[in-house]
Amino acid sequence: MTVETTYADGVLTVRRNFTQPVAAVFDAWIDAAKTIHWWGCANTTKVVSDVEPRMGGKYHHTMSITDVGDHMIEGRLIEFTPPTRLVYTMPATDFSPEMTVDVSFEASAAGTTVTLRQSEIDATLKDVVAAGWTASFERLAGFFEGGRRAA
C-alpha cells in the first residue's frame, strides 16, 4: 500500500489504506502512548506527545529531528467524532498562517482508509509537508506491524 498525495488551492490531501479496523487506526492518532512511535517526518528520532482526546482538547507533539533539533506542533481539537473524524488546528507561525488538519477514517474492504486534508499550505512548503505526512503514514503502518521507536 502506498501513500497518495495531491495538492490544489492550498490544500494538501494525503491518503493511505491500513489493514487494521477503523477504531484501531483512530486510536493510534489520539493515544499519546502510540503517537510517540509513529508521528513525525523521516528524520524524527523521538517524539514527546500529549493528547487530550475530546472536543476542544489540546494536543502537543515535540519531534526531535536529526540535524534540525526539536520542532513543536500543537493545537486544539475542533472536531472529535470517534472513530471516524478528527479535526484540529495548527496555530500560525512565522512562516505559515493557522492551518486546519481534517482526518477521516473510513472502513474499507481491506481495513481502513485514512484521508488527511491540511489547509493553508503555501505552494513553497507543499513538498516538505507532503514528505512529512508520507513518512508519518508509513511509520504508522510500521507501528501496526510492531515497529516502535525507542522511548
Side-chain angles (χ1 to χ4, degrees):
M1 289 174 232
T2 60
V3 177
E4 302 168 10
T5 63
T6 58
Y7 175 82
D9 301 322
V11 177
L12 176 69
T13 302
V14 182
R15 182 174 289 115
R16 189 185 194 286
N17 294 313
F18 296 88
T19 58
Q20 290 67 35
V22 170
V25 180
F26 184 87
D27 186 58
W29 281 74
I30 61 164
D31 183 342
K34 294 175 182 166
T35 59
I36 63 171
H37 294 291
W38 67 267
W39 191 273
C41 65
N43 293 328
T44 300
T45 58
K46 179 182 177 185
V47 175
V48 175
S49 290
D50 183 28
V51 181
E52 296 174 345
R54 61 178 175 79
M55 180 70 111
K58 297 178 192 176
Y59 74 88
H60 176 99
H61 305 295
T62 300
M63 301 176 289
S64 296
I65 304 171
T66 302
D67 297 328
V68 173
D70 287 347
H71 178 71
M72 181 178 54
I73 297 175
E74 62 184 354
R76 288 205 173 273
L77 301 175
I78 58 174
E79 184 168 334
F80 184 73
T81 311
T84 60
R85 192 153 181 235
L86 184 62
V87 182
Y88 58 92
T89 61
M90 295 177 74
T93 66
D94 292 342
F95 57 89
S96 67
E98 180 177 89
M99 295 183 231
T100 301
V101 178
D102 185 334
V103 190
S104 64
F105 305 81
E106 184 178 338
S108 66
T112 302
T113 300
V114 175
T115 303
L116 177 144
R117 290 180 183 86
Q118 185 169 341
S119 69
E120 303 299 325
I121 304 285
D122 186 272
T124 61
L125 296 175
K126 71 177 175 67
D127 292 335
V128 171
V129 177
W133 280 121
T134 296
S136 285
F137 275 45
E138 293 301 336
R139 281 184 191 241
L140 179 55
F143 168 78
F144 286 124
E145 294 168 3
R148 303 290 187 267
R149 252 190 214 117

